[in-house]
Amino acid sequence: MSTTDRTRALRRRMIVEARRATVEHGLHGFTIEQLCETVGVSRRTFFNHFASKDDAVLGIELHATDDVLVDFADGGAVPPDLDPLGAIVALAIEQMHVVGLDRADEALVRRVFEREPVMVARFLSAMDVQLAKVTDAVRQRFGWTDPDDRRAQLVTETAAGLVKVTATTYFDDAFDEATGPAFDALLTDNLRLLRAAITNGRGPTE
């Protein structure tokens, strides 16, 4: 296992244990020190990856995708010939590869939200911050730097809607991960369906 893979695995352990502790004891029922002891890391290591206990519970990792966003803004990270919407979808897939995607994690998050409803607002606020970062990266990548130019926000919000619809399908309890498509494939197919609907109002096979 590479150093990067080990680091990712460590972050995932901290996130999962923080969520389990929240479900069992509530957000204020355990300390960062107790979490670190469970995982087997120091406070310093914890704060190298997360700004707070709340962030660990929500899986908001410090600078986890910053490098990818910088590369994307400079014209890299995804194929250069993609149009803006396709580029953002490809970026979303790349970011998910960086942070990891696990259906079991999503079920645990739902239990966290049931135990601590206040975390829902915190999560939505974090998503807004992330969308703003992506929008800025899109502006730089495609040269849409005029403050009155709304194209970057429009395509970013559209891509976010595609991700949301895809996640609703993928994380549904009825979804069979063994026979269903991978998240990447499902998201890509939803992009294809959206393009077909916008172009002619018909399905891609009609």
Side-chain angles (χ1 to χ4, degrees):
M1 182 182 291
S2 68
T3 300
T4 299
D5 288 339
R6 286 195 297 270
T7 300
R8 288 177 182 171
L10 176 61
R11 285 198 301 252
R12 297 309 300 167
R13 287 212 322 272
M14 286 190 278
I15 291 169
V16 170
E17 290 303 328
R19 289 171 177 170
R20 286 175 178 167
T22 301
V23 170
E24 184 173 352
H25 305 292
L27 187 61
H28 303 295
F30 68 100
T31 65
I32 289 175
E33 287 77 12
Q34 289 170 325
L35 174 61
C36 290
E37 183 177 354
T38 299
V39 180
V41 299
S42 65
R43 276 177 58 89
R44 179 177 180 179
T45 296
F46 175 88
F47 285 110
N48 282 339
H49 297 286
F50 303 100
S52 67
K53 182 171 64 175
D54 288 18
D55 282 2
V57 173
L58 293 174
I60 302 170
E61 304 166 22
L62 283 171
H63 315 302
T65 61
D66 286 2
D67 290 344
V68 174
L69 277 177
V70 170
D71 191 17
F72 178 84
D74 290 340
V78 302
D81 58 339
L82 293 176
D83 65 20
L85 185 56
I88 300 175
V89 168
L91 173 66
I93 291 172
E94 182 63 26
Q95 289 178 312
M96 288 170 192
H97 289 168
V98 171
V99 301
L101 187 68
D102 191 320
R103 294 183 76 237
D105 279 357
E106 194 275 342
L108 194 54
V109 169
R110 276 188 281 172
R111 294 175 63 195
V112 167
F113 289 161
E114 290 169 2
R115 177 67 188 258
E116 295 284 357
V118 69
M119 296 297 281
V120 176
R122 175 77 176 84
F123 174 77
L124 293 175
S125 177
M127 293 303 97
D128 286 343
V129 170
Q130 182 63 19
L131 277 179
K133 289 181 179 180
V134 173
T135 301
D136 286 342
V138 171
R139 286 194 181 100
Q140 183 174 334
R141 182 183 181 97
F142 293 100
W144 296 337
T145 55
D146 186 327
D148 294 327
D149 192 334
R150 299 186 297 275
R151 286 177 292 178
Q153 183 177 2
L154 286 168
V155 294
T156 301
E157 294 286 352
T158 300
L162 278 169
V163 172
K164 180 180 179 181
V165 170
T166 303
T168 298
T169 301
Y170 186 78
F171 291 115
D172 188 276
D173 292 338
F175 183 83
D176 188 347
E177 193 173 7
T179 59
F183 189 92
D184 296 8
L186 188 58
L187 178 56
T188 302
D189 193 49
N190 281 340
L191 173 61
R192 180 175 63 90
L193 290 171
L194 176 64
R195 290 192 190 283
I198 291 174
T199 301
N200 55 29
R202 299 175 180 274
T205 58
E206 293 183 67

